Amino acid sequence: MRKVLWGDYPAAELRDLAARDPIVVVPIGSTEQHGPHLPVQVDSLLVAEVARRAAERGGDETILVMPTIWTGLAEHHMGFGGTVTLDYSVFHALIRQVCVSLTRQGIRRIALLNGHGGNIVALQLATGELAREIPGVVATATYFLLAEQRFAGILERQDGVRHACEAETSMTLALRPDLVDIEAMRTVDAPAEGMLSPGFHRWRPIEHWSDSGVIGYPPAASAEKGERLLEAAADAVRDALVDEELWTPPAAQVTV
Amino acid sequence: MRKVLWGDYPAAELRDLAARDPIVVVPIGSTEQHGPHLPVQVDSLLVAEVARRAAERGGDETILVMPTIWTGLAEHHMGFGGTVTLDYSVFHALIRQVCVSLTRQGIRRIALLNGHGGNIVALQLATGELAREIPGVVATATYFLLAEQRFAGILERQDGVRHACEAETSMTLALRPDLVDIEAMRTVDAPAEGMLSPGFHRWRPIEHWSDSGVIGYPPAASAEKGERLLEAAADAVRDALVDEELWTPPAAQVTV
Amino acid sequence: MRKVLWGDYPAAELRDLAARDPIVVVPIGSTEQHGPHLPVQVDSLLVAEVARRAAERGGDETILVMPTIWTGLAEHHMGFGGTVTLDYSVFHALIRQVCVSLTRQGIRRIALLNGHGGNIVALQLATGELAREIPGVVATATYFLLAEQRFAGILERQDGVRHACEAETSMTLALRPDLVDIEAMRTVDAPAEGMLSPGFHRWRPIEHWSDSGVIGYPPAASAEKGERLLEAAADAVRDALVDEELWTPPAAQVTV
Amino acid sequence: MRKVLWGDYPAAELRDLAARDPIVVVPIGSTEQHGPHLPVQVDSLLVAEVARRAAERGGDETILVMPTIWTGLAEHHMGFGGTVTLDYSVFHALIRQVCVSLTRQGIRRIALLNGHGGNIVALQLATGELAREIPGVVATATYFLLAEQRFAGILERQDGVRHACEAETSMTLALRPDLVDIEAMRTVDAPAEGMLSPGFHRWRPIEHWSDSGVIGYPPAASAEKGERLLEAAADAVRDALVDEELWTPPAAQVTV
Amino acid sequence: MRKVLWGDYPAAELRDLAARDPIVVVPIGSTEQHGPHLPVQVDSLLVAEVARRAAERGGDETILVMPTIWTGLAEHHMGFGGTVTLDYSVFHALIRQVCVSLTRQGIRRIALLNGHGGNIVALQLATGELAREIPGVVATATYFLLAEQRFAGILERQDGVRHACEAETSMTLALRPDLVDIEAMRTVDAPAEGMLSPGFHRWRPIEHWSDSGVIGYPPAASAEKGERLLEAAADAVRDALVDEELWTPPAAQVTV
Amino acid sequence: MRKVLWGDYPAAELRDLAARDPIVVVPIGSTEQHGPHLPVQVDSLLVAEVARRAAERGGDETILVMPTIWTGLAEHHMGFGGTVTLDYSVFHALIRQVCVSLTRQGIRRIALLNGHGGNIVALQLATGELAREIPGVVATATYFLLAEQRFAGILERQDGVRHACEAETSMTLALRPDLVDIEAMRTVDAPAEGMLSPGFHRWRPIEHWSDSGVIGYPPAASAEKGERLLEAAADAVRDALVDEELWTPPAAQVTV
């Protein structure tokens, strides 16, 4: 198996790797409530695993995976405890300085791989703001949206990832069954949908939609399903990463 | 016709209106290139008009419309000239201080009505950040997304709003035909789609998709269609604004 | 009549105009209480009109007028309601990014035309701070100070502009008589002077000087007088704008 | 002679003095070029001396003088060397934290006494911004403007203070004759006026007006005149400080 | 073995634990060059391990360990590649928001356990700044300084921890022998001391002292020694954490 | 005696001196409680004196001394009154702009000479942050640490400087005996040590250690001892300043 974790290498080898124009993936998760049955590390655990698996199947491309940024925008989960949250300005500054550190080493292809719904708009915005400043390309995606179609063929009770749901519970069962409370998983009461409204958008805490902090159907989870989801996610991320179009340099110059 | 513009009232009347728990709409547009045939004020012109029309049909609700914020996040249009753009931090700070000024006067229902695609994620983020700080509710929507279904029944060559397109050109023709270059409108060369990619998201200037700065099909525009679109948008915004659910106070208290 | 509003042009024409070294005027007003008889938009309405008229009589010079920045430093008016105010840091950042957007397009002559007393020192300071950073020249003036001598020959009860006074009421009567409460205008009780003290300067809310929020003598206002004031202001602004000395480039280099 | 310098007291005595509602004066100068004949400390030297003399003649009022803030906004003097300059944001933050430190000790009357023209608008702005945040009153004045009429009766070749001029040179001769280059003082070439223009305001370095960095007429300076100016300034500052109107608490509450 | 990792718990259990006044340890490491023989994750790996071991032996105290902050102030290592560095303002903001998230959940005892020399002064400063703002106590220590005496009895060639040295190499050998390049470890050329100078302090990159990026004597490292160092560090950290004096609330109130 | 104070020179001479690559010393003190017997200016008074004396004995080196920054990080003294304190961000920004002003004039050797314990870590951090941005070398030291060994031979009851102690009281007696309360000096009750703890570091106000605000043994102070301490400090600072190694340019370039 390839050694893909940035942290596992000595600096001199990273200098050599940097010279080969690698893709560097920064996994970005969260530490936040995931219902009564899942540990608060779920988003960070899963995105790190997906990033690692995607990198290992990089083929001709060298893909390296940074340590995981384990906190993002999770204010809407604060009411349940166990959660750490950042303001956008700090989240943006942290990601910016990680990217700047990498580009100072010659890295020109950075993928901010996200695993937490609350980070999505923040990362879209941050990617745009970094584009003006940072040499090379900084791209972002959320692994479970990249894998949406693949996941639809695996999940039985949901058509996509919700929160602490069939999908996230399955993947956690595959990786850390010791951290899943099976009894709570089977009995948790949760709505099928939430956190989205038609019409005007307004910030709401997750308890507006769900008393348990869960959205989706955890009882349908299984470790076997989780393994398939992780593999599907890794494939989806890998495919998206090795798309040459993604990394073409920006147009030669801005007219104005 | 009701007097709905905040700026048209003397202060004492606004104090009285504030005591009646009005909805205050802040139209947010942009000043940016809109192809060879449309003036750079289009986004601001249209969102202000939609806001005004929606407020005038407020029924039992008092709806007031602030002056238009005429610049937002438009870096991707800078290459064509004519464009003004703000960083998110300044855009956020400006909106925040407008909202704070309103809430200091007792306003508890603020709707940030957007008319520019580039502002969407910024406003979602800003609304979330303001929620922790500002009493009452700050909500946001983009008028052409609120009216998406209504627009689909009116547009002939597009299934939604693009950029300087059949829809925006039609509405500008309805309001300011003197500012539309009909010859350029008929001959402009533009792709049907753009500014969206599958896979990883990466910031790109609009010239990546369109040499003319237009996305969609302007030649299909007409003033009559524009008037219907404006009315449909006003209806959609009004309906969304008077939804009581939107303005229910947040849950009594955060546990943590 | 010349087309002078930036927002009325398509981007390609603005690119062409930018190549001709135009003067770009940014009108800066306020949204704030103007006594019981005038709407809160007065400062923004008037400065935009003066800017437009000045630009139209630009002669050999191409003068373009940006949309109006409709909020500034108006904390001292907050007590009356109807007012929106910005901190200096946000006001400065907003103006800075408008100026940066313009200079990125090749604009080298920017005039920040002010219509609100509360913005004067802020704009002097901001102009100084922008000078170090921005190519070209950023200048500022308050239209009613530029026109002070001309106004003195027109006003009957004041020797200059006060607040919601003979002058501002007259100009609003000339432009938007529908928004003036004539009864309130005739009966308003206001001191002749205010907002200035000998000795040490100390911030005070306007109610320290005036119970009505008015300073000056509104009953003397008339639409005819207002039209003369607007013309005089436009002349004064035009004359100041076309002064070549104003736009000479800064000295070749700073020694230190 | 009273002990008036804050720094000369032990903390316990300052606690006692704070309980007596003293006026605390913060002298604010600059370190900047003052022509070929004067040292760069002039503005700081003079404002500190005026503050001390004013405090010593406080009568029934206890007036204390902080150490001098010896750097302000002096970008326009940087071209001559010897100068230190701050951005407004840092200048504001520094003054704010000095004021906050004082108000935490119960001080409710703070006078920012200025001695440098480049600080005037910055201090007016800062005073306004501090008013919303800080308990008590923060006021500002420039000593040579407070003493304008008194100075007019003493100066022979100028009607007010310019830069490194008859007035500043005289006062420096009175205090530190060892630091004045008499030969250079007698022969310096300088315009009578500068740093002010009619029409639009635009930042310019002082060399735009004066090759020597001096504005005014230094050869007319004398130590005797300087002593009279210092006494006049101290009287003017004292009179302005002990004006009860200056320190009346703000109106009981803001309506909005 | 106790479950001590915050991320391993579901939110509801963390709420219960928070009610028992736990000590929460935030391990803070770095991602930076550690010579030719060690991976860049060393500081993060070791501090996380020491924190976990210390928490497991907490006795009557409940000690929880947050995920590791894996980047700090490492500018001086950037020259070797492989390194990520933050400015102090971002480092401080990140730690502040983690602490605020914890205190919003009722946590009142937070220990910032550091494993990287470059973070020491930053954490001392940050701890002071947080003290004024955050309820409860935020304390900081660097594990290898806490364990200095214990380490002295174990190390053979150094009297304390240097960089990528006998101590750090030993501990990495104990935990991740697969990531140590034994050949490079045996042959690396490094000075015994560095990064400290008598007299004035001046920032210098580590290459000023060491061509290899190592300071100390790695060839003396062994896994067995590493295990002893980790145990000693865990004991030292545990002892310091359970010191009641550390967590006594601040004095009842500040006089001023 | 050499003229060493920056403020004593006219600008043109400072330009000439700048061309000779001088060392510029910025004395940084504090305004803070120093027990019942010493004035609050002690740290600023002493560091300015030491800087001046060191500069006067510069030998072949030209050493210039800036005015003293008289406020730093003194939150821990606020409880006693008389104290002014800055946040680190403001302290850093102030020092940064002083350094930038100097480097714009060609100064390449700047020594931030500190006289207050609370500033030590802040200055170490700031020096590191400035190194990346500012041309030349910015170094820092605290005079009483530089002179530690010399002081040990002079002090009778302490082995180093504490707070308002034998050393600081002696030096103040040497310079300003009129500001020392001899009776209070003889009777003050103070612990021998304080402000340092083994184990975890936690911010504490000075009253945690000392009811009088003093640490050390003031009754042992004398003016004669103070003069010897000042001379020893000046020697130590001078020796450290003229060390060529301190000012060697940074290594030619950073690899990454």
Side-chain angles (χ1 to χ4, degrees):
Chain A
M1 197 63 80
R2 300 181 184 198
K3 189 156 92 173
V4 299
L5 301 185
W6 181 277
D8 284 356
Y9 283 97
E13 289 187 46
L14 290 169
R15 281 206 305 277
D16 292 344
L17 289 167
R20 284 187 237 154
D21 192 24
I23 297 166
V24 177
V25 180
V26 184
I28 302 174
S30 184
T31 296
E32 70 183 31
Q33 75 83 19
H34 270 75
H37 62 298
L38 290 182
V40 295
Q41 70 173 271
V42 161
D43 285 351
S44 301
L45 173 75
L46 300 183
V47 76
E49 177 70 10
V50 170
R52 193 183 54 75
R53 292 188 186 203
E56 285 170 355
R57 59 194 74 182
D60 294 341
E61 290 281 16
T62 299
I63 306 178
L64 295 168
V65 180
M66 296 299 293
T68 300
I69 293 179
W70 51 265
T71 176
L73 281 75
E75 182 63 33
H76 49 307
H77 293 294
M78 285 296 288
F80 282 88
T83 303
V84 176
T85 188
L86 300 182
D87 292 342
Y88 171 73
S89 63
V90 179
F91 183 67
H92 172 266
L94 173 61
I95 289 168
R96 179 181 169 278
Q97 298 209 332
V98 172
C99 290
V100 167
S101 295
L102 293 174
T103 55
R104 286 174 66 192
Q105 303 177 43
I107 304 298
R108 289 296 173 266
R109 301 194 290 172
I110 301 175
L112 307 174
L113 186 67
N114 179 43
H116 165 49
N119 294 341
I120 294 175
V121 297
L123 285 167
Q124 264 191 272
L125 194 60
T127 309
E129 300 208 300
L130 294 172
R132 284 193 60 189
E133 180 186 7
I134 284 187
V137 173
V138 181
T140 190
T142 300
Y143 78 85
F144 52 77
L145 298 181
L146 281 185
E148 206 161 34
Q149 288 188 311
R150 285 169 164 99
F151 276 22
I154 301 169
L155 295 170
E156 292 167 290
R157 299 290 299 262
Q158 298 170 193
D159 60 355
V161 169
R162 298 297 175 265
H163 185 73
C165 63
E166 180 189 359
E168 291 189 335
T169 308
S170 293
M171 292 185 279
T172 309
L173 280 170
L175 297 176
R176 293 294 305 272
D178 57 313
L179 299 182
V180 181
D181 181 330
I182 300 294
E183 181 56 26
M185 172 191 107
R186 290 202 177 120
T187 57
V188 66
D189 190 42
E193 300 290 342
M195 293 202 279
L196 287 172
S197 306
F200 273 78
H201 166 84
R202 166 191 166 185
W203 184 90
R204 290 187 189 274
I206 194 172
E207 50 266 43
H208 180 75
W209 288 279
S210 170
D211 289 337
S212 64
V214 174
I215 296 171
Y217 196 68
S222 75
E224 177 270 345
K225 199 183 286 181
E227 179 60 26
R228 289 174 58 205
L229 291 166
L230 288 166
E231 288 291 292
D235 286 341
V237 171
R238 190 261 332 270
D239 289 357
L241 283 176
V242 300
D243 174 12
E244 275 182 37
E245 167 73 7
L246 176 61
W247 304 111
T248 50
Q253 81 174 59
V254 172
T255 314
V256 164
Chain B
M1 199 61 83
R2 297 179 184 201
K3 190 157 91 173
V4 299
L5 302 185
W6 180 278
D8 284 357
Y9 283 97
E13 289 186 47
L14 290 169
R15 281 206 304 276
D16 292 345
L17 288 167
R20 283 187 239 156
D21 192 24
I23 296 166
V24 177
V25 179
V26 185
I28 302 174
S30 184
T31 295
E32 70 183 34
Q33 75 83 17
H34 270 76
H37 63 297
L38 289 182
V40 294
Q41 70 173 272
V42 161
D43 285 350
S44 301
L45 173 75
L46 300 184
V47 75
E49 178 71 10
V50 170
R52 193 182 56 74
R53 292 187 186 203
E56 284 171 356
R57 59 193 74 181
D60 294 341
E61 290 282 15
T62 298
I63 306 178
L64 294 168
V65 180
M66 296 300 292
T68 302
I69 292 178
W70 51 265
T71 177
L73 282 75
E75 182 62 34
H76 48 308
H77 292 294
M78 285 298 288
F80 282 89
T83 303
V84 177
T85 189
L86 301 182
D87 292 343
Y88 172 73
S89 63
V90 179
F91 183 67
H92 173 267
L94 173 62
I95 289 168
R96 179 181 169 278
Q97 296 210 333
V98 171
C99 290
V100 167
S101 295
L102 293 174
T103 55
R104 286 173 66 190
Q105 304 177 42
I107 304 298
R108 289 295 173 270
R109 302 195 289 174
I110 300 175
L112 307 173
L113 185 67
N114 178 42
H116 166 50
N119 295 339
I120 293 174
V121 297
L123 285 168
Q124 264 191 272
L125 192 61
T127 309
E129 301 209 301
L130 293 171
R132 284 194 60 189
E133 180 187 9
I134 284 188
V137 173
V138 180
T140 190
T142 299
Y143 79 84
F144 52 75
L145 298 181
L146 281 184
E148 206 161 33
Q149 289 187 310
R150 285 170 166 99
F151 276 22
I154 300 170
L155 295 169
E156 291 167 291
R157 299 291 298 263
Q158 299 171 191
D159 62 355
V161 169
R162 297 298 175 264
H163 185 73
C165 63
E166 180 189 0
E168 290 189 337
T169 307
S170 292
M171 291 186 280
T172 308
L173 279 171
L175 296 176
R176 294 293 305 272
D178 58 312
L179 298 182
V180 182
D181 182 330
I182 299 295
E183 181 55 28
M185 171 190 108
R186 291 204 174 117
T187 57
V188 65
D189 189 42
E193 300 291 342
M195 293 203 279
L196 287 172
S197 304
F200 273 77
H201 166 84
R202 164 192 168 182
W203 184 91
R204 290 187 189 274
I206 194 172
E207 51 266 41
H208 179 75
W209 288 280
S210 169
D211 289 338
S212 65
V214 174
I215 296 170
Y217 195 68
S222 76
E224 177 270 345
K225 200 184 285 182
E227 178 60 25
R228 288 174 60 204
L229 291 166
L230 288 166
E231 288 292 291
D235 285 341
V237 171
R238 190 262 331 270
D239 287 358
L241 283 176
V242 300
D243 174 11
E244 275 183 35
E245 167 71 5
L246 177 60
W247 305 110
T248 51
Q253 85 175 57
V254 172
T255 314
V256 165
Chain C
M1 198 63 81
R2 297 180 185 200
K3 191 157 90 173
V4 298
L5 302 185
W6 180 278
D8 285 355
Y9 283 97
E13 290 186 47
L14 290 168
R15 280 205 304 277
D16 292 346
L17 289 167
R20 283 186 239 156
D21 192 24
I23 297 166
V24 177
V25 180
V26 184
I28 302 175
S30 183
T31 296
E32 70 183 33
Q33 76 82 18
H34 270 76
H37 62 298
L38 289 182
V40 294
Q41 70 173 273
V42 161
D43 285 350
S44 301
L45 174 75
L46 300 183
V47 76
E49 178 70 10
V50 170
R52 193 182 57 73
R53 292 188 187 202
E56 284 170 356
R57 58 193 75 181
D60 293 341
E61 289 282 16
T62 299
I63 306 178
L64 294 168
V65 180
M66 295 300 292
T68 302
I69 292 180
W70 51 264
T71 177
L73 281 76
E75 182 63 32
H76 49 307
H77 293 294
M78 285 298 287
F80 283 89
T83 303
V84 176
T85 188
L86 301 182
D87 292 342
Y88 172 73
S89 63
V90 178
F91 183 68
H92 172 266
L94 173 61
I95 288 168
R96 178 182 169 278
Q97 297 209 333
V98 171
C99 291
V100 168
S101 295
L102 293 174
T103 55
R104 287 174 65 191
Q105 305 177 41
I107 304 298
R108 289 294 174 268
R109 302 194 290 173
I110 300 175
L112 307 174
L113 186 67
N114 179 43
H116 166 50
N119 294 341
I120 294 174
V121 297
L123 285 167
Q124 264 191 273
L125 193 61
T127 308
E129 300 209 300
L130 293 171
R132 284 194 60 191
E133 180 187 10
I134 284 188
V137 173
V138 180
T140 190
T142 299
Y143 77 85
F144 53 76
L145 298 181
L146 281 184
E148 206 160 34
Q149 290 187 310
R150 286 171 165 98
F151 276 23
I154 301 170
L155 295 169
E156 292 166 292
R157 301 289 300 262
Q158 300 170 192
D159 61 354
V161 169
R162 298 297 175 265
H163 185 73
C165 63
E166 181 189 359
E168 291 189 337
T169 307
S170 292
M171 290 186 279
T172 309
L173 279 170
L175 296 176
R176 292 293 305 271
D178 58 312
L179 299 182
V180 181
D181 182 330
I182 299 294
E183 182 55 29
M185 172 190 106
R186 291 201 175 118
T187 57
V188 66
D189 191 42
E193 300 291 343
M195 294 203 279
L196 287 172
S197 306
F200 273 78
H201 166 84
R202 164 190 168 184
W203 185 90
R204 291 189 189 273
I206 194 172
E207 51 266 42
H208 179 75
W209 289 280
S210 169
D211 289 337
S212 65
V214 174
I215 296 170
Y217 195 68
S222 75
E224 177 270 345
K225 199 183 287 181
E227 178 60 24
R228 289 174 59 205
L229 291 166
L230 288 166
E231 287 292 291
D235 285 341
V237 171
R238 190 262 331 270
D239 288 356
L241 283 175
V242 300
D243 174 12
E244 274 182 37
E245 167 72 6
L246 177 60
W247 305 109
T248 51
Q253 85 174 54
V254 173
T255 314
V256 165
Chain D
M1 199 62 80
R2 299 182 184 197
K3 190 157 91 173
V4 299
L5 301 184
W6 181 278
D8 284 355
Y9 283 98
E13 289 186 47
L14 291 168
R15 280 205 306 277
D16 292 344
L17 288 167
R20 284 187 238 155
D21 192 25
I23 296 166
V24 177
V25 179
V26 185
I28 303 174
S30 184
T31 296
E32 69 184 32
Q33 74 84 17
H34 270 75
H37 61 299
L38 290 182
V40 295
Q41 70 173 273
V42 162
D43 285 350
S44 301
L45 173 75
L46 300 183
V47 76
E49 177 71 10
V50 171
R52 192 182 56 74
R53 294 188 185 203
E56 284 170 357
R57 56 193 77 181
D60 294 341
E61 290 280 17
T62 300
I63 305 178
L64 294 168
V65 180
M66 297 298 293
T68 301
I69 293 180
W70 51 265
T71 175
L73 282 76
E75 181 64 31
H76 49 308
H77 293 293
M78 286 296 287
F80 282 88
T83 303
V84 176
T85 188
L86 301 182
D87 292 342
Y88 172 72
S89 63
V90 179
F91 183 67
H92 172 267
L94 172 62
I95 288 168
R96 178 182 169 278
Q97 297 210 333
V98 172
C99 290
V100 167
S101 295
L102 292 175
T103 56
R104 287 173 66 190
Q105 303 177 42
I107 304 299
R108 289 294 173 270
R109 302 194 289 173
I110 300 174
L112 308 173
L113 186 67
N114 178 43
H116 165 50
N119 294 341
I120 295 175
V121 297
L123 284 169
Q124 264 190 273
L125 194 61
T127 309
E129 300 209 301
L130 294 171
R132 285 193 58 191
E133 180 187 6
I134 284 188
V137 172
V138 180
T140 190
T142 299
Y143 79 85
F144 53 75
L145 298 180
L146 281 184
E148 206 161 34
Q149 289 187 312
R150 285 171 165 98
F151 277 21
I154 301 169
L155 295 170
E156 292 166 291
R157 300 291 298 262
Q158 298 171 193
D159 60 355
V161 170
R162 298 297 175 266
H163 185 72
C165 62
E166 179 188 359
E168 292 189 336
T169 307
S170 293
M171 291 185 279
T172 308
L173 280 170
L175 298 175
R176 294 292 306 271
D178 58 313
L179 300 181
V180 181
D181 182 330
I182 299 294
E183 180 57 28
M185 174 191 105
R186 291 204 175 117
T187 57
V188 66
D189 189 42
E193 300 291 342
M195 293 202 281
L196 287 172
S197 305
F200 274 77
H201 165 85
R202 165 190 167 184
W203 184 90
R204 290 188 189 273
I206 194 172
E207 50 265 44
H208 179 76
W209 289 278
S210 170
D211 288 337
S212 64
V214 174
I215 296 171
Y217 195 68
S222 75
E224 178 269 345
K225 200 183 287 181
E227 179 60 25
R228 289 174 60 205
L229 291 166
L230 288 166
E231 287 292 291
D235 285 340
V237 170
R238 190 262 330 271
D239 289 356
L241 283 175
V242 300
D243 174 11
E244 275 183 34
E245 168 72 7
L246 176 61
W247 305 110
T248 51
Q253 83 174 58
V254 172
T255 314
V256 163
Chain E
M1 199 62 82
R2 296 182 185 198
K3 189 156 92 174
V4 299
L5 302 184
W6 180 278
D8 284 356
Y9 283 98
E13 289 186 47
L14 290 168
R15 280 205 305 278
D16 292 345
L17 289 167
R20 283 188 241 155
D21 192 25
I23 296 166
V24 177
V25 179
V26 184
I28 303 175
S30 183
T31 297
E32 71 185 31
Q33 76 82 17
H34 270 75
H37 62 298
L38 290 182
V40 294
Q41 70 173 273
V42 161
D43 284 350
S44 301
L45 173 75
L46 299 184
V47 76
E49 178 69 10
V50 170
R52 192 182 57 73
R53 293 188 186 203
E56 284 170 356
R57 57 193 75 181
D60 293 341
E61 290 281 16
T62 299
I63 305 179
L64 295 168
V65 180
M66 296 299 294
T68 301
I69 293 180
W70 50 265
T71 176
L73 282 76
E75 182 64 32
H76 48 308
H77 292 294
M78 286 296 288
F80 283 88
T83 303
V84 177
T85 188
L86 301 182
D87 292 342
Y88 172 73
S89 64
V90 178
F91 183 67
H92 172 267
L94 173 62
I95 287 168
R96 180 182 168 276
Q97 297 210 333
V98 171
C99 290
V100 168
S101 295
L102 293 174
T103 55
R104 286 173 66 191
Q105 305 176 41
I107 304 299
R108 289 294 172 271
R109 301 195 288 173
I110 300 175
L112 307 174
L113 185 67
N114 179 42
H116 165 51
N119 295 340
I120 293 174
V121 296
L123 285 168
Q124 263 191 273
L125 193 60
T127 309
E129 301 209 301
L130 293 171
R132 285 194 59 190
E133 179 187 9
I134 284 188
V137 173
V138 180
T140 191
T142 299
Y143 78 86
F144 52 75
L145 298 181
L146 282 185
E148 208 161 33
Q149 290 186 310
R150 287 171 164 97
F151 277 22
I154 301 170
L155 295 169
E156 292 166 290
R157 301 289 299 260
Q158 300 170 192
D159 61 354
V161 169
R162 298 295 175 264
H163 185 73
C165 63
E166 180 189 359
E168 291 189 336
T169 307
S170 293
M171 292 185 278
T172 308
L173 280 171
L175 297 176
R176 294 294 305 272
D178 57 312
L179 299 182
V180 181
D181 182 330
I182 299 295
E183 181 58 27
M185 174 191 104
R186 291 201 176 120
T187 57
V188 66
D189 189 42
E193 300 291 342
M195 294 203 279
L196 287 172
S197 307
F200 274 78
H201 166 85
R202 164 190 169 185
W203 185 91
R204 292 189 189 271
I206 194 172
E207 51 267 42
H208 179 76
W209 289 278
S210 169
D211 289 337
S212 64
V214 174
I215 297 170
Y217 195 67
S222 75
E224 179 268 347
K225 199 183 287 182
E227 178 60 24
R228 288 174 61 206
L229 291 166
L230 288 165
E231 287 292 292
D235 285 341
V237 171
R238 190 262 331 271
D239 288 357
L241 284 175
V242 301
D243 173 11
E244 273 182 38
E245 168 72 7
L246 177 60
W247 305 110
T248 50
Q253 82 175 56
V254 171
T255 315
V256 164
Chain F
M1 198 62 82
R2 296 181 185 198
K3 189 157 91 174
V4 299
L5 302 185
W6 180 278
D8 283 356
Y9 282 98
E13 289 186 47
L14 291 168
R15 280 206 305 277
D16 292 345
L17 288 167
R20 282 187 240 156
D21 192 25
I23 296 166
V24 177
V25 179
V26 185
I28 303 175
S30 184
T31 296
E32 70 185 31
Q33 75 83 18
H34 270 75
H37 62 298
L38 289 182
V40 294
Q41 70 173 272
V42 162
D43 286 350
S44 301
L45 173 76
L46 300 183
V47 76
E49 178 70 10
V50 170
R52 194 181 56 73
R53 292 187 187 203
E56 286 170 355
R57 56 194 75 181
D60 294 342
E61 289 281 16
T62 299
I63 306 179
L64 295 168
V65 180
M66 296 299 292
T68 302
I69 293 180
W70 51 264
T71 176
L73 282 76
E75 181 63 32
H76 49 308
H77 292 294
M78 285 297 288
F80 282 88
T83 304
V84 176
T85 188
L86 300 182
D87 292 343
Y88 172 73
S89 62
V90 179
F91 183 68
H92 172 266
L94 173 62
I95 288 168
R96 178 182 169 278
Q97 297 210 331
V98 172
C99 290
V100 167
S101 295
L102 292 174
T103 55
R104 287 173 66 191
Q105 304 176 42
I107 304 298
R108 289 293 174 270
R109 303 195 288 174
I110 300 174
L112 307 173
L113 185 68
N114 179 42
H116 166 50
N119 295 340
I120 294 174
V121 296
L123 285 167
Q124 262 191 276
L125 193 60
T127 308
E129 301 210 301
L130 294 171
R132 285 194 60 189
E133 180 186 9
I134 285 188
V137 172
V138 181
T140 190
T142 299
Y143 78 86
F144 52 77
L145 299 180
L146 282 184
E148 207 161 33
Q149 290 186 310
R150 285 171 166 97
F151 277 21
I154 301 169
L155 295 170
E156 292 166 291
R157 301 290 298 261
Q158 300 170 192
D159 61 354
V161 170
R162 298 297 174 263
H163 185 74
C165 62
E166 181 189 358
E168 291 189 334
T169 306
S170 293
M171 291 185 279
T172 308
L173 279 171
L175 297 176
R176 293 293 307 270
D178 57 313
L179 298 182
V180 181
D181 182 331
I182 299 294
E183 181 56 28
M185 174 191 105
R186 291 204 175 117
T187 58
V188 65
D189 190 42
E193 300 291 342
M195 295 202 280
L196 287 171
S197 306
F200 273 79
H201 165 85
R202 164 191 168 184
W203 184 90
R204 291 190 191 270
I206 194 173
E207 52 267 42
H208 180 74
W209 289 279
S210 169
D211 288 337
S212 64
V214 174
I215 296 171
Y217 195 68
S222 74
E224 177 269 346
K225 198 184 287 182
E227 179 60 25
R228 288 174 60 205
L229 292 165
L230 288 165
E231 288 292 292
D235 285 341
V237 170
R238 190 262 332 272
D239 288 356
L241 283 175
V242 301
D243 173 11
E244 274 183 38
E245 166 73 5
L246 176 61
W247 306 109
T248 50
Q253 84 174 56
V254 172
T255 315
V256 164

